[in-house]
Amino acid sequence: MGETEKRIATHGVRCFSKIKMFLLALTCAYVSKSLSGIYMNSMLTQIERQFDIPTSIVGLINGSFEIGNLLLIILVSYFGTKLHRPIMIGIGCVIMGLGCFLMSLPHFLMGRYEYETTISPTSNLSSNSFLCMENRTQTLKPTQDPAECVKEMKSLMWIYVLVGNIIRGIGETPIMPLGISYIEDFAKSENSPLYIGILESGKMIGPIVGLLLGSFCARIYVDTGSVNTDDLTITPTDTRWVGAWWIGFLVCAGVNILTSIPFFFFPKTLPKEGLQDNVDRTENDKEEKHREKAKEENRGITKDFLPFMKSLSCNPIYMLLILTSVLQINAFINMFTFLPKYLEQQYGKSTSEVVLLIGVCNLPPICIGYLLIGFIMKKFRITVKKAAYMAFCLSLFEYLLSYFHFMISCDNFQVAGLTTSYEGVQHPLYVENKVLADCNTRCSCLTNTWDPVCGDNGLSYMSACLAGCEKSVGMGTHMVFQNCSCIQSSGNSSAVLGLCKKGPECANKLQYFLIMSVIGSFIYSITAIPGYMVLLRCIKSEEKSLGIGLHAFCTRIFAGIPAPIYFGALIDRTCLHWGTLKCGEPGACRMYNINNFRRIYLVLPAALRGSSYLPAFFILILMRKFQLPGEMYSSETELADMKLTVKKSECTDVHRIPKVENDGELKTKL
């Protein structure tokens, strides 16, 4: 008897270890996929500048991940449960690694990055050609055939990044639906909130590492090692600066491939956590049962697809959840995708600083919130219904709190001829856009080149020539321009490279913005887990994997793909000055009307989020009237009391208990 108990205990520990080890491996996969995703998001401005493309194209590149995910999500979610789920997850991680490697290739296939400037050592003009000179008739570049110019620029290299992101999306497809369904199938129902909280926290560790990596790479010049950085006339705060974005993608490729290894060693199925198989059953019985189950799954691999789809479509709570998710994700994707660009333009920070601030201030409270709500739901045995009510109220509070962002804003950069007059008179809606003035008309300046300087009068100018500067001293970023006729100040009328920095008042407003973001991120994370648990519990267990996949499909096709594209196109409409390519065509935007940018960035997501609370309210009403198919019991005592009614002969062997699909059916049969 002692030997039997020992064998049962050993078997239980082994089952316990496997589900925990799978949870650990899946958490690592979540870390790697979120690391790649957040790093990609943090480098969007660098990619925009590297390839001189508008924000709408950047939105398309960002949404291409969802396109790749969309291609396989429903098929993987349904047919994946019939196959070996851990191995499929491992293959997906390998594919993600290959996609990240492909995204880094343009750096090795293109030439050196040449930023837009009037101060060029390769120019055919004299060394002081960028200064104010009367009666100048030279041209900046020799005549060149437009077709040859475009070919030389290799302007379509961004397609490599697009295709690589699609491949990365394809690889990410099996991780969430198959991983979640695997845990749901073999873990205790009361442990699911904690496990999902751990997974979501892992999904936050990846972004923290990704943002730190992005901040590091954004400080390194893109062509580091092949150019002398002392000769550069731009700094990381300049809108023409491009960081070493390709380094991070190589790191992400390696991490994804390493993460895939453990999944190839997990079994197809595990015993249910908390239950021990009859250890005296012979090995032949196990093999025979496994073969019969495999045959049954192969026979039913397609016959249940349409009935499951019909059942999900007729589930009102599930369909309302999809609608709510689509509206919410539209808002969050728009805000998070372009948050670095917004902070750069609004508060005058570099990409490196912005990415670091996002990682330090936003992600830790989200990680803490995920773990906290998962622990609370397990510790106090909060039912999904009660958690849903709590999540709705907290989410609504956080939404109302977000309106304070409208009051935390800074003015445009004061650039003469764009946002203010040459006399320094700034109007809220300055629309004259007169680049030339009496002080620089004699200088024969190029009016479309962006090479800004900051005058000692506090005004910025599009170039040293447009500032009327006639002399320069120093080299690189330490160059100083003197005798500037447009700069009216008590000093020597000088200017330095770069835009003038915004004042300390704007820096204080950035601190308020970050404090609000910390509070909002923490509340959001607390509401996310209960919402996801409602999704898991409102569908039957046999439909769970397909339901998760269909939910992901709808959110991608109606939110993940179109949101960054249309939002990027709207942001492009706020551009005040476009960069100029070698061929004379417009490149990436150098400066935005920050007031219009702010309205689009804050108002549109607020409208989308506000409309999402209507279907969410109807979900709460329906949850009061109907019991969720997969809702867990509020306490183990309730389930234990019902089990006492089962005949003792049936309780002696857990394999003789009638097989049921969910707790509601168990209650009926008991």
Side-chain angles (χ1 to χ4, degrees):
M1 186 64 179
E3 182 66 24
T4 303
E5 291 176 352
K6 184 177 179 180
R7 292 173 62 191
I8 293 176
T10 304
H11 181 76
V13 171
R14 186 167 61 250
C15 296
F16 177 87
S17 314
K18 287 182 179 178
I19 191 65
K20 294 297 188 298
M21 289 300 295
F22 180 83
L23 177 65
L24 176 62
L26 188 61
T27 302
C28 292
Y30 267 58
V31 169
S32 65
K33 80 181 185 70
S34 57
L35 164 66
S36 306
I38 203 69
Y39 179 79
M40 171 68 187
N41 192 80
S42 68
M43 289 292 104
L44 288 178
T45 54
Q46 309 301 304
I47 292 173
E48 177 182 350
R49 298 168 188 173
Q50 171 76 80
F51 302 105
D52 273 310
I53 52 179
T55 309
S56 55
I57 297 296
V58 173
L60 175 62
I61 292 175
N62 189 56
S64 64
F65 171 82
E66 308 291 353
I67 295 175
N69 209 287
L70 185 67
L71 295 175
L72 297 176
I73 185 65
I74 291 185
L75 294 177
V76 167
S77 298
Y78 179 73
F79 294 108
T81 59
K82 315 295 182 181
L83 304 174
H84 200 300
R85 283 177 282 186
I87 288 182
M88 292 191 66
I89 294 173
I91 293 174
C93 291
V94 173
I95 294 175
M96 282 198 302
L98 295 177
C100 290
F101 176 75
L102 181 62
M103 293 165 71
S104 68
L105 279 183
H107 171 75
F108 303 99
L109 301 178
M110 297 174 65
R112 293 180 181 178
Y113 169 64
E114 297 182 12
Y115 55 89
E116 176 187 7
T117 181
T118 57
I119 309 171
S120 174
T122 61
S123 175
N124 64 334
L125 302 179
S126 58
S127 59
N128 63 346
S129 60
F130 50 87
L131 298 175
C132 177
M133 298 176 60
E134 295 186 20
N135 303 321
R136 175 164 46 195
T137 58
Q138 299 100 319
T139 57
L140 182 64
K141 289 287 181 182
T143 304
Q144 187 177 18
D145 181 60
E148 291 295 326
C149 180
V150 172
K151 182 178 179 180
E152 178 186 336
M153 289 171 55
K154 301 180 180 179
S155 57
L156 296 180
M157 280 291 178
W158 57 268
I159 294 179
Y160 280 89
V161 183
L162 177 76
V163 174
N165 211 26
I166 292 176
I167 294 175
R168 190 173 68 85
I170 292 175
E172 192 265 354
T173 304
I175 295 178
M176 187 187 76
L178 300 189
I180 292 290
S181 64
Y182 195 84
I183 288 178
E184 278 282 304
D185 286 347
F186 306 120
K188 289 182 180 179
S189 60
E190 61 265 27
N191 286 342
S192 291
L194 179 61
Y195 290 168
I196 293 176
I198 293 173
L199 289 175
E200 294 297 328
S201 296
K203 203 161 63 174
M204 288 299 103
I205 295 174
I208 292 174
V209 178
L211 289 175
L212 292 176
L213 178 63
S215 177
F216 172 76
C217 293
R219 288 196 300 267
I220 303 174
Y221 188 64
V222 61
D223 292 319
T224 182
S226 59
V227 298
N228 185 3
T229 55
D230 293 334
D231 294 335
L232 298 177
T233 59
I234 56 175
T235 62
T237 57
D238 198 294
T239 55
R240 295 165 294 170
W241 175 274
V242 176
W245 54 273
W246 52 276
I247 294 178
F249 285 123
L250 293 177
V251 173
C252 293
V255 171
N256 280 300
I257 292 176
L258 288 176
T259 304
S260 69
I261 297 175
F263 291 100
F264 295 101
F265 299 95
F266 283 104
K268 183 178 181 181
T269 60
L270 290 174
K272 185 75 172 179
E273 187 181 20
L275 296 177
Q276 287 80 32
D277 289 329
N278 187 348
V279 294
D280 294 325
R281 186 174 56 180
T282 62
E283 199 66 31
N284 292 334
D285 292 337
K286 292 182 181 180
E287 294 178 359
E288 183 179 353
K289 182 176 181 180
H290 180 73
R291 285 195 298 268
E292 292 177 356
K293 185 176 181 181
K295 292 179 181 179
E296 181 180 352
E297 287 181 348
N298 290 332
R299 287 196 301 268
I301 197 167
T302 57
K303 69 176 183 179
D304 293 331
F305 183 77
L306 292 179
F308 284 176
M309 288 290 291
K310 181 180 178 181
S311 176
L312 291 171
S313 301
C314 296
N315 186 332
I317 296 180
Y318 178 76
M319 298 306 294
L320 286 171
L321 271 171
I322 288 180
L323 177 59
T324 303
S325 299
V326 167
L327 294 172
Q328 291 268 1
I329 292 175
N330 262 284
F332 285 121
I333 283 182
N334 288 336
M335 294 193 71
F336 194 72
T337 299
F338 299 105
L339 178 59
K341 179 185 286 289
Y342 177 75
L343 295 181
E344 288 177 43
Q345 294 290 327
Q346 181 72 244
Y347 302 105
K349 298 296 182 180
S350 68
T351 301
S352 175
E353 292 175 301
V354 163
V355 168
L356 182 62
L357 288 173
I358 295 173
V360 171
C361 298
N362 286 44
L363 298 181
I366 293 179
C367 184
I368 294 172
Y370 279 146
L371 285 176
L372 181 63
I373 190 61
F375 174 77
I376 290 175
M377 290 185 67
K378 175 179 171 59
K379 180 70 175 178
F380 299 99
R381 307 193 188 283
I382 300 176
T383 62
V384 176
K385 289 182 180 180
K386 292 180 181 179
Y389 285 113
M390 179 183 67
F392 179 84
C393 295
L394 287 174
S395 177
L396 185 59
F397 171 74
E398 186 270 329
Y399 169 69
L400 297 175
L401 197 65
S402 67
Y403 276 90
F404 282 101
H405 286 147
F406 286 91
M407 297 183 291
I408 309 173
S409 61
C410 297
D411 294 327
N412 277 313
F413 284 102
Q414 295 191 41
V415 180
L418 282 182
T419 61
T420 186
S421 67
Y422 274 83
E423 291 75 26
V425 180
Q426 186 175 22
H427 303 285
L429 295 175
Y430 183 82
V431 293
E432 287 188 76
N433 197 14
K434 292 183 178 179
V435 177
L436 295 177
D438 294 337
C439 60
N440 58 25
T441 50
R442 61 182 176 82
C443 298
S444 304
C445 301
L446 295 169
T447 59
N448 60 346
T449 302
W450 182 260
D451 199 5
V453 295
C454 174
D456 58 12
N457 60 348
L459 283 182
S460 298
Y461 301 85
M462 289 177 56
S463 68
C465 182
L466 288 173
C469 302
E470 300 177 350
K471 182 182 177 182
S472 68
V473 293
M475 295 292 293
T477 56
H478 302 291
M479 188 177 294
V480 179
F481 305 94
Q482 298 174 346
N483 300 334
C484 304
S485 59
C486 293
I487 299 177
Q488 302 172 2
S489 67
S490 58
N492 57 359
S493 300
S494 63
V496 295
L497 287 169
L499 290 171
C500 296
K501 295 183 179 181
K502 297 191 175 184
E505 182 181 352
C506 189
N508 293 334
K509 290 183 177 181
L510 175 59
Q511 294 179 5
Y512 300 145
F513 181 91
L514 294 174
I515 291 173
M516 295 295 299
S517 297
V518 168
I519 298 173
S521 299
F522 179 72
I523 298 176
Y524 162 76
S525 63
I526 291 178
T527 62
I529 297 297
Y532 200 75
M533 293 308 301
V534 172
L535 172 66
L536 293 176
R537 301 304 187 200
C538 76
I539 50 182
K540 300 175 183 177
S541 60
E542 66 269 19
E543 301 170 357
K544 194 165 294 180
S545 184
L546 179 61
I548 295 172
L550 182 61
H551 177 269
F553 176 87
C554 293
T555 54
R556 279 163 172 78
I557 197 170
F558 295 115
I561 296 174
I565 298 175
Y566 72 72
F567 205 73
L570 290 174
I571 291 175
D572 281 338
R573 295 174 64 89
T574 69
C575 184
L576 285 175
H577 184 81
W578 293 92
T580 305
L581 303 180
K582 291 180 181 179
C583 307
E585 297 180 355
C589 184
R590 302 304 183 193
M591 186 174 180
Y592 295 89
N593 184 327
I594 195 57
N595 295 318
N596 294 338
F597 191 171
R598 180 173 60 252
R599 294 187 190 101
I600 291 176
Y601 182 80
L602 296 178
V603 172
L604 181 58
L608 290 168
R609 285 194 64 190
S611 60
S612 71
Y613 288 102
L614 182 60
F617 179 73
F618 286 121
I619 291 173
L620 296 180
I621 295 177
L622 291 173
M623 288 178 65
R624 291 186 62 182
K625 295 182 178 180
F626 305 103
Q627 181 180 5
L628 299 181
E631 184 179 6
M632 63 182 177
Y633 291 97
S634 58
S635 66
E636 292 181 346
T637 305
E638 180 183 354
L639 183 59
D641 290 341
M642 288 186 293
K643 284 184 176 180
L644 290 177
T645 62
V646 182
K647 292 181 180 180
K648 185 176 180 180
S649 59
E650 293 180 329
C651 292
T652 55
D653 187 355
V654 294
H655 297 285
R656 294 176 61 188
I657 296 178
K659 183 180 179 181
V660 295
E661 302 297 338
N662 54 60
D663 291 342
E665 190 175 342
L666 173 62
K667 183 177 179 180
T668 302
K669 292 194 175 187
L670 290 175

